[in-house]
Amino acid sequence: MNDLNTGREQWGSRLGFILAAMGSAVGLGNIWRFAYVAGESGGGTFLLLYILCIIAIGIPILMAEFTIGRRAKSDVVGSFETLAPGTPWFVTGFLGVASAFIILSFYGVVAGWAFHYFIQYVLGGPAIGGEGGSESYFIEFHTSTYSPLIWQSIFMILTIGIVYVGVKKGIEKSNKILMPLLAILVILLAGYSLTLGGAQEALSFLFSPDWSSLRDPNVYLAALGQAFFSLSLGMGALITYGSYLSSKDKLPGAAVSVVTLDTLFAILAGLMIFPAVFAFGNAPNSGPGLVFITLPDIFNSLSLGVVFGTLFFFLLSAAAISSGVSLLEVAVAYFMRKFSWSRKKAAIIIGGIIFLIGIPSSLGYGALNHVTLIGDRDILDSMDFIASNIFLPLGGLLIALFVGVGWNKAEAIEASDFGNTWIGHAWILILRTIAPVAILIIFLSSIGLF
Ligand code: LEU
């Protein structure tokens, strides 16, 4: 369905939009990234701060993105140009496009790992029985040169294919089935994982904060970055998706559903991973490989493990695709408008470039494993740090300030569907004060200014 006035693609229904936004939010971030960042940042304190960031910063900014997109009906750069012509706010859009490029470049690498495991399970399960088990299997696989690149390219080809035919046709329907299936599977696996003997340790790791770590500014930055990453915030993915929404639909309900589902997924993923991490004696702070080592351990201990493994990695790969699609769409929508490219041309060219940018992230575990960019972070981790902990919060800060200060208050409240209610006014107040101030303080303290 196209909008008769603008000719822009539109979601088939309100549910279609919510599902697409959920598809963007739920992905590797909830399972792979949440688990390893929580593991590295000490568990409970991180989880608490993460949830606080979601409530105080995430929900208001998510509403801001939906509102901007639906009102402006343009891509992430064009939206600011439309709503605030002749002002520098459009820079926020460029930051968003840059974030989408960087994130999809390494997201494709990790999604490729998930694809690899999926196919291994289809073929009877990865060979993790030998010495070193699932850990040596993972190390051998992800440090090799070609295999991860091939899987990354398969992920990128599928993502490009979906954006090529149009986001609406591409993902609206499949999310309706895949998302509930992934939820059921994660719940089942969490239930099983809790019986493995590591439940007590895992629950106290996740839910009893170690208050002394509240003094560590890096935990705040990690929680903030994870909130933005997991909700797909700060880069305009949700501005772009909001722009395909007709004006009849109500935004606040959609925002709350997306945030609730995304957060539940992360907590459930924590309940699935950490009991097994402790039961199998893995280290919670073992980094980006955590999920790829722990989950095969779980499947290995199950009699129907190969079936569960196949299903799980299939659904994780599908969730990664619907997130990848939203990233590619940010850039594609911009290039289509700016250079009058066709959707097909933009999808192929931009997707191809992003694949190339992602190659060093993959090689960073093998041929380029001596390279560290930020501190002792490898290439992928550095890309992730720059995009998730700096660009996304910065983009979010600007989006909050735009709606809170740059835009006409009455128009913003009206466009948001809050109407002239106390919630509407509170929303604007948060975007003016709490959200930007919190982001700034977290930033400044993490670079040692406080
Ligand atoms: N929100 C997505 C996820 O959790 C990532 C985003 C950058 C598209 O996987």
Side-chain angles (χ1 to χ4, degrees):
M1 197 193 308
N2 284 334
D3 185 318
L4 292 179
N5 301 322
T6 61
R8 280 175 76 73
E9 197 178 355
Q10 276 197 4
W11 301 110
S13 62
R14 178 171 187 267
L15 182 65
F17 162 69
I18 296 184
L19 282 167
M22 285 174 173
S24 170
V26 175
L28 294 170
N30 303 64
I31 295 173
W32 161 74
R33 197 176 189 283
F34 175 79
Y36 101 78
V37 177
E40 280 182 342
S41 310
T45 320
F46 167 84
L47 183 60
L48 183 72
L49 293 174
Y50 166 67
I51 291 176
L52 284 178
C53 284
I54 285 187
I55 295 171
I57 304 173
I59 299 180
I61 294 183
L62 195 135
M63 262 306 290
E65 290 208 20
F66 279 176
T67 305
I68 293 172
R70 190 183 59 178
R71 178 51 61 101
K73 297 245 178 310
S74 187
D75 56 87
V76 62
V77 177
S79 288
F80 290 97
E81 288 171 348
T82 306
L83 297 179
T87 63
W89 286 107
F90 69 88
V91 174
T92 313
F94 283 119
L95 197 63
V97 175
S99 304
F101 266 81
I102 302 175
I103 296 181
L104 187 52
S105 77
F106 71 80
Y107 201 87
V109 174
V110 182
W113 298 349
F115 271 42
H116 168 84
Y117 274 83
F118 163 52
I119 297 299
Q120 290 306 306
Y121 276 102
V122 170
L123 300 174
I128 63 172
E131 209 182 313
S134 55
E135 187 168 0
S136 16
Y137 180 86
F138 176 70
I139 292 176
E140 195 167 323
F141 160 65
H142 87 306
T143 55
S144 66
T145 302
Y146 298 109
S147 181
L149 286 180
I150 293 170
W151 293 107
Q152 180 196 353
S153 66
I154 294 174
F155 169 79
M156 286 306 297
I157 290 169
L158 290 173
T159 304
I160 292 169
I162 293 179
V163 173
Y164 181 100
V165 295
V167 173
K168 190 189 133 223
K169 269 188 244 139
I171 58 173
E172 241 184 84
K173 283 206 191 70
S174 56
N175 274 351
K176 228 178 264 186
I177 308 162
L178 298 177
M179 198 82 64
L181 270 183
L182 181 62
I184 294 172
L185 201 63
V186 172
I187 292 172
L188 282 179
L189 290 173
Y192 172 69
S193 178
L194 284 164
T195 67
L196 289 173
Q200 218 174 352
E201 238 177 309
L203 293 178
S204 76
F205 178 75
L206 270 178
F207 298 113
S208 51
D210 160 19
W211 301 113
S212 67
S213 54
L214 276 180
R215 268 182 254 124
D216 178 3
N218 293 319
V219 179
Y220 292 77
L221 187 63
L224 182 72
Q226 178 61 20
F228 273 91
F229 189 95
S230 192
L231 292 173
S232 303
L233 283 186
M235 64 203 147
L238 301 179
I239 292 184
T240 310
Y241 273 14
S243 77
Y244 304 132
L245 191 59
S246 90
S247 307
K248 295 190 297 286
D249 302 302
K250 292 272 172 284
L251 296 180
V256 171
S257 325
V258 172
V259 173
T260 310
L261 185 90
D262 189 70
T263 311
L264 280 178
F265 254 108
I267 294 175
L268 280 170
L271 289 175
M272 169 178 76
I273 311 280
F274 287 105
V277 165
F278 289 108
F280 295 120
N282 299 337
N285 60 351
S286 55
L290 184 66
V291 160
F292 293 94
I293 295 166
T294 305
L295 284 167
D297 278 344
I298 299 185
F299 300 134
N300 210 26
S301 73
L302 270 168
S303 51
L304 282 177
V306 174
V307 177
F308 277 100
T310 307
L311 249 173
F312 179 83
F313 280 108
F314 167 71
L315 293 168
L316 184 63
S317 305
I321 290 189
S322 59
S323 299
V325 162
S326 72
L327 288 165
L328 185 55
E329 183 68 17
V330 169
V332 163
Y334 168 69
F335 280 88
M336 278 169 64
R337 177 187 60 85
K338 184 71 189 173
F339 301 105
S340 305
W341 286 0
S342 68
R343 170 168 280 284
K344 297 185 164 64
K345 178 175 172 186
I348 293 175
I349 296 182
I350 305 301
I353 294 175
I354 292 177
F355 168 70
L356 295 178
I357 302 176
I359 292 178
S361 288
S362 178
L363 296 182
Y365 294 105
L368 300 177
N369 70 2
H370 50 284
V371 180
T372 53
L373 297 179
I374 297 183
D376 55 2
R377 292 184 165 82
D378 57 52
I379 302 176
L380 188 148
D381 211 5
S382 301
M383 292 291 172
D384 188 357
F385 183 86
I386 296 170
S388 313
N389 292 5
I390 301 177
F391 279 29
L392 297 186
L394 205 59
L397 175 79
L398 292 173
I399 290 169
L401 286 178
F402 172 71
V403 174
V405 186
W407 202 6
N408 175 297
K409 181 177 170 186
E411 196 185 333
I413 288 192
E414 189 250 320
S416 70
D417 296 332
F418 280 131
N420 197 5
T421 58
W422 71 267
I423 305 186
H425 291 276
W427 174 59
I428 296 284
L429 189 69
I430 293 175
L431 292 175
R432 277 183 187 165
T433 54
I434 300 179
V437 170
I439 295 174
L440 260 183
I441 292 180
I442 293 175
F443 260 151
L444 298 179
S445 61
S446 69
I447 53 170
L449 278 185
F450 277 119

